[in-house]
Amino acid sequence: MRGFGSRRAPILASRRKSIANWSKTRVKALVKESAAPGLKLKDVAEPTMREDEVLIRVRCAGICGTDVHIYDWDAWARGRVKPPLVVGHEFAGEVVDVGRLVTDVRTGDRVTAEGHIVDGRCPLCRTGNAHVCPRTRIIGVDRDGCFAEYITMPATNVWHLDDNVSLDVGGIHDPMGNAFHTALTAEIPGSTVLVTGCGPIGLFAIGICRAAGASHVIASDVNETRLALARRMGATVTVNPDGAADAVRSATGGLGVDVVLEMSGVPSAVHQAFDLVRVGGRVQMLGIPSKPMDVNFATEVIFKGITIYGVVGRRMYDTWLQMTRFLRAGLFDPTPVITHRFPLTAVDEAIRAIKSGEAGKVIFEID
Amino acid sequence: MRGFGSRRAPILASRRKSIANWSKTRVKALVKESAAPGLKLKDVAEPTMREDEVLIRVRCAGICGTDVHIYDWDAWARGRVKPPLVVGHEFAGEVVDVGRLVTDVRTGDRVTAEGHIVDGRCPLCRTGNAHVCPRTRIIGVDRDGCFAEYITMPATNVWHLDDNVSLDVGGIHDPMGNAFHTALTAEIPGSTVLVTGCGPIGLFAIGICRAAGASHVIASDVNETRLALARRMGATVTVNPDGAADAVRSATGGLGVDVVLEMSGVPSAVHQAFDLVRVGGRVQMLGIPSKPMDVNFATEVIFKGITIYGVVGRRMYDTWLQMTRFLRAGLFDPTPVITHRFPLTAVDEAIRAIKSGEAGKVIFEID
Amino acid sequence: MRGFGSRRAPILASRRKSIANWSKTRVKALVKESAAPGLKLKDVAEPTMREDEVLIRVRCAGICGTDVHIYDWDAWARGRVKPPLVVGHEFAGEVVDVGRLVTDVRTGDRVTAEGHIVDGRCPLCRTGNAHVCPRTRIIGVDRDGCFAEYITMPATNVWHLDDNVSLDVGGIHDPMGNAFHTALTAEIPGSTVLVTGCGPIGLFAIGICRAAGASHVIASDVNETRLALARRMGATVTVNPDGAADAVRSATGGLGVDVVLEMSGVPSAVHQAFDLVRVGGRVQMLGIPSKPMDVNFATEVIFKGITIYGVVGRRMYDTWLQMTRFLRAGLFDPTPVITHRFPLTAVDEAIRAIKSGEAGKVIFEID
Amino acid sequence: MRGFGSRRAPILASRRKSIANWSKTRVKALVKESAAPGLKLKDVAEPTMREDEVLIRVRCAGICGTDVHIYDWDAWARGRVKPPLVVGHEFAGEVVDVGRLVTDVRTGDRVTAEGHIVDGRCPLCRTGNAHVCPRTRIIGVDRDGCFAEYITMPATNVWHLDDNVSLDVGGIHDPMGNAFHTALTAEIPGSTVLVTGCGPIGLFAIGICRAAGASHVIASDVNETRLALARRMGATVTVNPDGAADAVRSATGGLGVDVVLEMSGVPSAVHQAFDLVRVGGRVQMLGIPSKPMDVNFATEVIFKGITIYGVVGRRMYDTWLQMTRFLRAGLFDPTPVITHRFPLTAVDEAIRAIKSGEAGKVIFEID
């Protein structure tokens, strides 16, 4: 990729609208080459930009559990992903070229993007439910992703970063957006909240709930490192799952919390969510149980009169606007959650860091 | 009970405020006498009315699945009910006496009542969530009920019947209220709806959804008699559960329905609810699965982005007001659902009618 | 326009994608030629279609009060409209050509369209509030409109008509959409409703409220013809404005209605809306007062604890989907409201019909 | 009142349930004696407690603009208040006796109370709208109030203070509740907010909005002392009304704020609210214009697509629960707003302090 960086400056300077002379260029990317575990850093053809798309030079990219599934080539990955594929769906960078039809993105813009590419025309997209568009294609899963020096994105998916938002924070807007979506579709001001699972999204959610006026945020996890991060993000109380019931009862006079954010996907935590939410309360489910589990709907859901909400992605683009507002105002600082930074070459090390259970958010930094 | 009826007329005529001279009176009631199956019609002491209560002469009383559980003395009943107890919680009648502190109910009033007696003072009761008050006591379950000639009720639980609402319709306000609560806490105008389970509450819900502007109501049940009632209540399409998926796909262009009202408690219907609701849709769960069941939260709930709402009782008293409005306006006629009427003496026959699966709503008429 | 019609058939047959050979064609249109009253039927250049647009042969077009303002060249029109301009914004027709970038509209499709052309990219558009996009351009007001044989529309604004929706009903989707927006952003099932003003939108709203389960709809107007139409659309009670207070009090036990739909813009009706809505109720304001009016916010709004909602256009595209659902299901029939039909040549007569106050909806039919 | 205080201790010690032996006692109170300006500190008969009421020794009491109206005996007061009357409706204190029917309040409890005494039985009270009960009677306006050593309150109106809430903060729960009601019935997390009017309720609202995640709070007032308090409560920007438009445009990219809290009742501020709220935004009106004002509904409300909400009192008791949660969690500290404290004897001085425009909240402290 040597020489490429030096070429970028004049491009920006000239705001040129064509990448014709790049056509033979190859760029580095982390690729799932074949139906087997692992990811490989390769030179690939530079992505081809459509007229309604932009070309973005990726500077920071977050690694998600989904990427670990693809790396490991587990059952879900085998059923969904078609190699070869450039992986990765969380990123920020700078726009280096824009298609002819694009009107509101310019070269040089600092941007991130919604990684769910939707049809924009189905009844769901047209009525504020694009986050569940049945024709969603996800970058890094269904088409080439962002663990690469360059990526193309439809202009409609591009989201501008505020000047005071750094590129590393830009690179984790996707999971932060999950956290905002999970937290702020519940009624948070004045509410008591239990967050089960302090992975990166749970940690973000803790900070968001505090900034939005939750009166008490109890964070639960099995891992002490994560609980320390939870305290740093503002959790009122942090507990091991064994202690969650006592913590909730003590904080709520035995009633249960108004809202549970279930961020773990662990069956015992799901049961705890139903057990510890108050009658008439709300359970937001983001963590994905890996297989079916037993549920007693009578006692856990119906007699309790609760509401359960399954969280998919981020609301387009209500969640993004809220996120920008919180970041711009300094209401919420996600940077303590970013614990590890690697170059693309260190992919195996990055995956190991995630699997250790000791990491917060792990990101790639791409020069 | 001899002589009692003849005494009632002058009572009403005189609007007398005391029942002191009734104190030795005994009234007929269906009683769970001991921890064993069955119910027995007995003479019991007339209920004692507190100062903030009213005494109601029961004229019509609906029989609920709960009453069948108590009759059968199943595991749930054994764990909850303490004999001896007068059973029954759905009723209408006429007020024959009112306590000293009661200001807005008068003798002679035609009334029904919310059977959930709540504390009225806990944070839930004080914030519009009395339907899930943790200290709820249910008539006919936790204290003497309405399968009797007379019942006392706190005045706060009494609901006046409109002049044009008959006493038999008054006697089924409790389950109709469940149906209104289930239907109208979803967004119904213009929505496509699947009702899984055409017992009485499902049947009421079909009529309510049509009156509230559902654009398509698909009703599913295994029983042809019930499907015929479903058609009578306005279902657009009625199907056997095996045909529900095709009916939904055909009606919704493959997308799924906006709202499912799960009225059966049957595990296969619960799975069907999750399967046939559209992404981002809403499943209202009223039917009570009798035991835990396997759920794949990933595919059935989270990836679909749906909302699940567990329905308890009736919202106090939003649901009751809506119900009165629908009945007063003639938007909704529940009478086709009432298929069987019995005197209290025919309790065994009434229970058999319910168990036959051929009945709609079964009620007692009490002279 | 002779010869044009005969040319259209082969166009549809060949599904051709270019209109290059039409470039010299002229089409008939009602044009505001200069800054003066009146409209003139002229031959104008056929509209030029962009790559993301479609060309529609207009078959039916509704005439709106806005068009009357432009015809009369009143103060509002003088401040907003820049002649020359083809007028009209309510229509339905058949697609005769589609731009290269259009993916979900085909020649031959029967369509109507949202006449507000928005930027689609501002924070409001991206968060479900496109109906108030600050960069809205309205056809027939800010760019050429639909009182013409042909119109171009961005494909994103096109809305397909169901097979069972006739073109004349298609041609009034815009004002029906106003009515759906006004009615269904209030809580209608079980509510008592007062509609002040029985012009076409008020008349539509009456039918919508009844279909959505309003328990009582009181319609008020000064004009007996319109009140007769109101009854035909399902009003429970129709009254002269002088009788509205009594009708509301009688229907609501003196409390006031839950919802007022203010459809007249007449100051006395606005005051009546505030007076006759119950405490804590909701006033939907669609009618546009022509000038400032005195309001006593203390007694009319604040002490009553009411909510006022200003209605702009139609929610994109929630309102459109609801409308389609109501029409498809036959819940609502707008056709009685269409009282007059004219060819484009009879524009002066059509405007006179509207001004007579005796008309419901007046439409153009274009062969 | 000498001797009374010394008697109170044994009362509390004995938790006695009767005040029979107090029956001749007289207590000090600020009384509107006759239809003329002023208030007079007098010995009055101790209030008589009903069986469902409690007797409270008042310790702190806030002075409201309403009290100033009564003091001044203006047109509103003359039309509403019937002398003689003990004035005052904001207070906190200790329970010294409870009626026989009261179950959840005990002597010695530290409490405040909702001053709107509602019927509890009308359709509005029964459906979560007690704050607009048509039969509301307000203490200090329609029945004897709290500027006195003792007051009786229905137990249903009593609200317990948390141990960590001081009595002076308890004494201003009524206006804080107005602020919570005004702020939290809008969507605050991530929103931009303009507060027009920095009297006590406006000042509270600023702090509440910040605690609930408003991203930008612009506070506007004519008075520098109040703007200094606004900054202390967390306003992002404070401006003179002349500068509000620029401040809003600068903070919102010209779009306008999501939410305006209109706290002044000044016509120019009301117009500013409509002008500076964004299209589709929300204006919460609490400030009470003293007379009718001109409004251009077309341009100020309808074409902007905004929602206006008239704020009455506090939601019973959702607002109270939120308030308690915010205070208990330390999310919000109202104490900087309390700028003046007086004994009941200094009523004239207290009223002067309020009229000076330099005061925040002025309270009475009663030994």
Side-chain angles (χ1 to χ4, degrees):
Chain A
M1 209 54 208
R2 177 181 42 85
F4 199 93
S6 60
R7 224 178 53 207
R8 190 173 53 83
I11 291 164
L12 287 172
S14 66
R15 288 280 194 274
R16 90 184 154 77
K17 292 280 174 181
S18 154
I19 54 164
N21 56 335
W22 294 3
S23 56
K24 302 293 187 292
T25 310
R26 297 186 72 78
V27 303
K28 292 205 183 304
L30 279 174
V31 180
K32 169 63 70 177
E33 278 200 296
S34 60
L39 288 175
K40 186 167 177 186
L41 188 63
K42 295 190 51 176
D43 283 352
V44 299
E46 190 181 86
T48 305
M49 185 182 75
R50 295 178 2 158
E51 293 176 302
D52 58 354
E53 293 189 333
V54 304
L55 181 70
I56 302 165
R57 187 181 173 222
V58 180
R59 297 297 302 275
C60 289
I63 310 175
C64 174
T66 299
D67 303 317
V68 179
H69 290 300
I70 297 173
Y71 182 94
D72 285 347
W73 202 237
D74 69 5
W76 171 82
R78 288 192 300 269
R80 174 78 175 258
V81 174
K82 309 280 171 263
L85 182 87
V86 177
V87 178
H89 55 273
E90 311 172 354
F91 75 97
E94 291 138 5
V95 175
V96 291
D97 206 356
V98 301
R100 185 178 62 87
L101 300 169
V102 175
T103 57
D104 61 348
V105 183
R106 297 211 183 85
T107 57
D109 287 357
R110 298 166 70 253
V111 300
T112 179
E114 167 60 57
H116 287 205
I117 299 174
V118 298
D119 68 14
R121 295 292 291 156
C122 70
L124 291 160
C125 283
R126 295 186 91 172
T127 55
N129 291 293
H131 66 294
V132 284
C133 170
R135 286 195 280 274
T136 300
R137 301 187 69 234
I138 305 179
I139 60 169
V141 175
D142 303 311
R143 68 178 241 173
D144 282 337
C146 67
F147 292 165
E149 289 171 315
Y150 291 85
I151 186 171
T152 57
M153 287 301 294
T156 55
N157 280 58
V158 169
W159 191 262
H160 284 92
L161 295 177
D162 246 41
D163 291 345
N164 67 346
V165 172
S166 58
L167 285 170
D168 54 357
V169 170
I172 56 174
H173 265 48
D174 172 301
M176 279 197 302
N178 291 130
F180 273 93
H181 181 183
T182 309
L184 296 187
T185 48
E187 173 80 8
I188 295 301
S191 291
T192 51
V193 180
L194 169 65
V195 179
T196 51
C198 296
I201 300 178
L203 292 168
F204 295 140
I206 291 165
I208 295 160
C209 287
R210 289 313 302 269
S215 69
H216 212 91
V217 180
I218 299 160
S220 163
D221 201 292
V222 293
N223 181 302
E224 266 309 315
T225 307
R226 290 178 161 187
L227 291 180
L229 283 169
R231 283 187 290 276
R232 187 134 176 233
M233 294 305 288
T236 322
V237 176
T238 57
V239 290
N240 189 282
D242 293 344
D246 282 350
V248 165
R249 282 180 200 124
S250 152
T252 63
L255 183 65
V257 291
D258 300 312
V259 177
V260 178
L261 311 183
E262 207 305 289
M263 299 302 209
S264 73
V266 175
S268 58
V270 173
H271 288 302
Q272 219 167 30
F274 298 149
D275 183 33
L276 299 182
V277 73
R278 69 160 166 81
V279 284
R282 191 170 171 102
V283 175
Q284 311 281 89
M285 295 188 76
L286 179 100
I288 299 169
S290 59
K291 55 184 188 209
M293 55 177 278
D294 251 23
V295 179
N296 188 331
F297 276 107
T299 55
E300 296 189 282
V301 177
I302 300 172
F303 294 153
K304 290 201 68 170
I306 64 172
T307 299
I308 299 170
Y309 176 61
V311 181
V312 174
R314 296 139 299 277
R315 294 193 73 89
M316 299 176 196
Y317 282 86
D318 313 68
T319 303
W320 292 82
L321 185 59
Q322 289 175 316
M323 183 157 43
T324 292
R325 295 280 186 80
F326 271 67
L327 290 171
R328 181 189 296 161
L331 291 171
F332 163 69
D333 178 13
T335 53
V337 179
I338 305 176
T339 54
H340 295 70
R341 293 155 192 268
F342 295 98
L344 288 181
T345 50
V347 55
D348 297 320
E349 196 178 343
I351 298 288
R352 271 197 304 276
I354 292 174
K355 290 185 172 178
S356 75
E358 299 291 323
K361 189 71 196 173
V362 178
I363 66 171
F364 287 123
E365 292 183 320
I366 307 169
D367 294 326
Chain B
M1 207 54 208
R2 176 183 40 86
F4 199 92
S6 58
R7 226 178 54 209
R8 191 173 54 82
I11 290 164
L12 286 171
S14 67
R15 288 281 194 274
R16 90 186 153 77
K17 292 279 176 183
S18 154
I19 54 164
N21 55 336
W22 294 5
S23 57
K24 302 292 188 292
T25 311
R26 297 186 73 78
V27 302
K28 293 205 184 303
L30 279 175
V31 180
K32 169 63 70 176
E33 278 199 296
S34 60
L39 289 174
K40 186 166 178 187
L41 188 63
K42 296 189 50 175
D43 283 352
V44 299
E46 188 180 88
T48 305
M49 185 183 74
R50 295 180 0 160
E51 292 176 302
D52 58 354
E53 292 188 335
V54 305
L55 181 69
I56 302 165
R57 187 180 173 224
V58 180
R59 299 296 301 274
C60 289
I63 310 176
C64 174
T66 298
D67 303 317
V68 179
H69 290 299
I70 297 173
Y71 181 94
D72 286 347
W73 202 238
D74 70 5
W76 171 82
R78 289 192 300 268
R80 174 77 174 259
V81 174
K82 309 279 171 265
L85 182 85
V86 178
V87 177
H89 55 273
E90 311 172 355
F91 75 97
E94 292 138 4
V95 175
V96 291
D97 205 357
V98 301
R100 185 177 60 86
L101 300 171
V102 175
T103 58
D104 61 348
V105 184
R106 298 211 184 83
T107 55
D109 287 356
R110 296 166 71 253
V111 300
T112 178
E114 167 60 57
H116 286 204
I117 299 175
V118 299
D119 68 15
R121 296 292 291 156
C122 70
L124 291 160
C125 283
R126 295 185 91 172
T127 56
N129 290 292
H131 65 295
V132 283
C133 170
R135 286 195 278 274
T136 300
R137 301 187 69 234
I138 305 178
I139 61 169
V141 175
D142 302 312
R143 69 177 241 174
D144 281 337
C146 66
F147 292 165
E149 289 172 314
Y150 291 85
I151 186 171
T152 57
M153 287 301 293
T156 56
N157 280 59
V158 169
W159 191 263
H160 284 92
L161 295 177
D162 246 41
D163 291 345
N164 67 345
V165 172
S166 58
L167 284 170
D168 54 357
V169 170
I172 56 173
H173 266 46
D174 172 301
M176 278 198 302
N178 290 130
F180 273 93
H181 181 183
T182 308
L184 295 188
T185 49
E187 174 80 8
I188 295 302
S191 291
T192 50
V193 179
L194 169 65
V195 179
T196 51
C198 297
I201 300 178
L203 292 168
F204 296 139
I206 291 165
I208 296 160
C209 286
R210 289 313 302 270
S215 68
H216 211 91
V217 179
I218 300 160
S220 164
D221 201 292
V222 294
N223 181 303
E224 267 309 316
T225 306
R226 290 177 161 187
L227 291 180
L229 284 170
R231 283 187 290 276
R232 185 133 179 236
M233 294 305 288
T236 323
V237 177
T238 56
V239 289
N240 189 282
D242 292 343
D246 281 350
V248 165
R249 282 179 201 125
S250 152
T252 64
L255 183 64
V257 290
D258 300 312
V259 177
V260 178
L261 310 183
E262 207 305 289
M263 299 303 210
S264 73
V266 176
S268 58
V270 173
H271 288 302
Q272 219 167 30
F274 298 149
D275 183 33
L276 298 182
V277 73
R278 70 161 166 82
V279 284
R282 191 170 171 104
V283 174
Q284 311 282 88
M285 296 187 75
L286 178 100
I288 299 170
S290 60
K291 54 185 188 208
M293 54 177 278
D294 251 23
V295 179
N296 188 332
F297 276 107
T299 55
E300 296 189 282
V301 177
I302 300 172
F303 294 152
K304 290 200 68 169
I306 64 171
T307 299
I308 299 169
Y309 176 61
V311 182
V312 174
R314 296 140 299 276
R315 294 194 72 90
M316 298 177 199
Y317 280 86
D318 313 68
T319 303
W320 292 83
L321 185 60
Q322 289 175 317
M323 183 157 43
T324 292
R325 295 280 187 80
F326 271 67
L327 291 171
R328 181 189 297 162
L331 291 171
F332 164 69
D333 176 13
T335 53
V337 180
I338 304 176
T339 54
H340 295 69
R341 295 155 191 267
F342 296 97
L344 287 181
T345 50
V347 56
D348 297 320
E349 195 178 343
I351 298 287
R352 271 197 303 275
I354 293 175
K355 289 185 173 179
S356 76
E358 298 291 323
K361 190 71 195 174
V362 179
I363 66 171
F364 287 123
E365 292 183 320
I366 307 170
D367 294 327
Chain C
M1 208 54 210
R2 177 181 40 85
F4 199 93
S6 59
R7 227 180 53 209
R8 190 174 54 82
I11 291 165
L12 287 171
S14 69
R15 289 277 195 276
R16 90 184 152 79
K17 293 280 175 181
S18 154
I19 55 163
N21 56 333
W22 293 4
S23 56
K24 302 290 187 295
T25 311
R26 296 187 74 79
V27 303
K28 294 206 183 304
L30 280 174
V31 180
K32 169 63 71 177
E33 278 200 297
S34 59
L39 287 175
K40 185 166 178 188
L41 188 63
K42 296 189 50 175
D43 283 352
V44 299
E46 188 181 88
T48 306
M49 184 184 74
R50 296 180 0 160
E51 294 176 301
D52 58 353
E53 292 187 337
V54 305
L55 181 69
I56 301 165
R57 188 183 171 220
V58 180
R59 299 295 302 275
C60 289
I63 310 175
C64 174
T66 299
D67 303 317
V68 179
H69 290 300
I70 297 174
Y71 181 94
D72 285 347
W73 202 237
D74 70 5
W76 172 82
R78 289 193 299 270
R80 173 79 174 258
V81 173
K82 309 280 170 264
L85 182 85
V86 178
V87 178
H89 54 273
E90 312 172 354
F91 75 98
E94 292 138 5
V95 176
V96 291
D97 205 357
V98 301
R100 184 178 62 87
L101 300 170
V102 175
T103 57
D104 61 349
V105 183
R106 298 212 183 84
T107 56
D109 287 356
R110 297 167 69 253
V111 301
T112 179
E114 166 61 57
H116 286 205
I117 299 175
V118 299
D119 68 15
R121 296 291 292 155
C122 71
L124 291 160
C125 283
R126 295 185 92 172
T127 56
N129 290 294
H131 65 295
V132 284
C133 170
R135 285 195 279 273
T136 300
R137 301 188 70 235
I138 305 180
I139 61 169
V141 174
D142 303 310
R143 69 178 240 174
D144 281 337
C146 67
F147 292 165
E149 290 172 313
Y150 291 85
I151 187 171
T152 57
M153 288 300 295
T156 55
N157 281 57
V158 169
W159 191 262
H160 285 91
L161 296 177
D162 246 41
D163 291 345
N164 66 345
V165 172
S166 59
L167 284 169
D168 55 357
V169 170
I172 56 173
H173 266 46
D174 172 300
M176 277 197 304
N178 290 131
F180 274 93
H181 182 183
T182 309
L184 296 188
T185 50
E187 174 80 9
I188 296 300
S191 291
T192 51
V193 180
L194 169 65
V195 179
T196 52
C198 297
I201 301 179
L203 292 168
F204 296 140
I206 291 165
I208 295 160
C209 287
R210 287 314 303 268
S215 68
H216 212 91
V217 179
I218 300 160
S220 163
D221 202 290
V222 293
N223 182 301
E224 267 309 316
T225 307
R226 290 179 160 187
L227 291 179
L229 283 169
R231 283 187 291 275
R232 185 132 179 235
M233 294 304 288
T236 322
V237 177
T238 57
V239 289
N240 189 283
D242 293 343
D246 282 350
V248 165
R249 282 179 200 124
S250 153
T252 64
L255 182 65
V257 291
D258 300 312
V259 177
V260 179
L261 311 184
E262 206 306 288
M263 299 303 209
S264 72
V266 175
S268 59
V270 173
H271 288 301
Q272 219 167 30
F274 298 150
D275 183 33
L276 299 182
V277 74
R278 69 161 167 81
V279 284
R282 190 170 172 104
V283 175
Q284 311 282 88
M285 295 188 76
L286 180 100
I288 300 170
S290 60
K291 55 184 187 204
M293 55 177 278
D294 251 23
V295 179
N296 188 331
F297 276 108
T299 55
E300 295 188 283
V301 177
I302 301 172
F303 295 153
K304 289 201 67 170
I306 64 171
T307 300
I308 299 170
Y309 176 62
V311 182
V312 174
R314 297 139 299 276
R315 295 194 71 89
M316 298 176 197
Y317 281 86
D318 313 68
T319 303
W320 292 83
L321 185 59
Q322 288 175 318
M323 182 156 43
T324 293
R325 294 281 185 81
F326 272 67
L327 291 171
R328 180 189 297 162
L331 291 171
F332 164 70
D333 177 13
T335 53
V337 180
I338 304 175
T339 54
H340 295 68
R341 293 155 192 268
F342 295 98
L344 287 181
T345 50
V347 57
D348 297 320
E349 195 179 344
I351 298 287
R352 271 198 303 276
I354 292 175
K355 290 185 172 179
S356 75
E358 298 291 323
K361 189 72 197 172
V362 179
I363 66 172
F364 287 123
E365 292 182 320
I366 307 170
D367 294 328
Chain D
M1 209 51 212
R2 176 183 41 84
F4 199 93
S6 59
R7 226 179 52 208
R8 191 174 53 82
I11 290 164
L12 287 171
S14 68
R15 288 279 194 277
R16 89 184 156 77
K17 293 281 175 181
S18 154
I19 55 162
N21 56 334
W22 293 5
S23 56
K24 302 293 187 292
T25 310
R26 296 187 74 78
V27 302
K28 293 206 183 304
L30 280 174
V31 180
K32 169 63 69 177
E33 277 200 296
S34 59
L39 289 175
K40 185 166 178 187
L41 187 64
K42 296 189 50 175
D43 282 351
V44 299
E46 189 180 86
T48 305
M49 185 183 75
R50 295 179 1 159
E51 293 176 304
D52 58 353
E53 292 188 334
V54 305
L55 180 69
I56 301 166
R57 187 181 172 221
V58 180
R59 299 295 302 274
C60 289
I63 310 175
C64 174
T66 299
D67 303 317
V68 179
H69 290 300
I70 297 175
Y71 181 94
D72 286 347
W73 202 237
D74 69 6
W76 172 83
R78 287 193 301 270
R80 173 78 174 257
V81 173
K82 310 278 171 266
L85 181 85
V86 178
V87 178
H89 55 273
E90 312 171 354
F91 74 98
E94 291 138 6
V95 175
V96 291
D97 205 356
V98 300
R100 185 178 61 87
L101 300 170
V102 176
T103 57
D104 61 348
V105 183
R106 297 211 182 85
T107 57
D109 287 356
R110 296 167 70 253
V111 301
T112 179
E114 167 60 59
H116 287 204
I117 299 175
V118 298
D119 68 15
R121 296 290 292 155
C122 71
L124 291 160
C125 283
R126 295 185 92 173
T127 56
N129 290 294
H131 65 295
V132 283
C133 170
R135 286 195 279 273
T136 299
R137 303 187 68 236
I138 305 180
I139 60 170
V141 175
D142 303 310
R143 69 178 241 175
D144 282 336
C146 67
F147 291 165
E149 290 171 314
Y150 290 84
I151 187 172
T152 56
M153 287 302 293
T156 55
N157 280 57
V158 170
W159 190 262
H160 285 92
L161 295 177
D162 246 42
D163 291 345
N164 67 346
V165 172
S166 58
L167 285 169
D168 54 357
V169 170
I172 56 174
H173 265 47
D174 172 300
M176 279 198 303
N178 290 131
F180 273 93
H181 182 183
T182 309
L184 295 187
T185 49
E187 174 81 8
I188 296 300
S191 291
T192 50
V193 180
L194 169 66
V195 179
T196 51
C198 297
I201 300 178
L203 292 169
F204 296 140
I206 292 166
I208 295 161
C209 287
R210 289 313 303 269
S215 68
H216 212 91
V217 179
I218 299 161
S220 163
D221 202 290
V222 294
N223 182 302
E224 266 309 314
T225 306
R226 290 179 161 187
L227 291 180
L229 283 169
R231 285 187 289 276
R232 184 132 179 235
M233 293 306 286
T236 323
V237 176
T238 57
V239 290
N240 190 282
D242 293 343
D246 282 350
V248 165
R249 282 180 200 125
S250 153
T252 63
L255 182 65
V257 291
D258 300 311
V259 177
V260 178
L261 311 183
E262 207 305 290
M263 299 304 210
S264 72
V266 176
S268 59
V270 174
H271 288 303
Q272 220 168 29
F274 298 149
D275 183 33
L276 298 182
V277 73
R278 68 161 167 80
V279 285
R282 190 170 173 104
V283 174
Q284 312 280 90
M285 296 188 76
L286 180 99
I288 300 169
S290 60
K291 55 184 188 209
M293 55 177 278
D294 250 24
V295 179
N296 188 331
F297 277 108
T299 56
E300 296 190 281
V301 177
I302 300 172
F303 295 153
K304 291 201 67 170
I306 64 172
T307 300
I308 299 170
Y309 176 63
V311 181
V312 174
R314 298 139 298 276
R315 295 193 71 89
M316 298 177 197
Y317 282 86
D318 312 68
T319 303
W320 292 83
L321 185 60
Q322 289 175 316
M323 181 156 45
T324 293
R325 295 280 186 81
F326 271 67
L327 291 171
R328 180 189 297 163
L331 291 170
F332 164 69
D333 177 13
T335 53
V337 180
I338 305 175
T339 55
H340 296 68
R341 294 155 192 268
F342 295 98
L344 288 181
T345 50
V347 56
D348 297 320
E349 194 178 344
I351 298 287
R352 271 198 304 275
I354 292 174
K355 291 184 172 180
S356 76
E358 298 290 324
K361 189 71 197 172
V362 179
I363 66 172
F364 287 123
E365 293 182 321
I366 306 169
D367 293 328

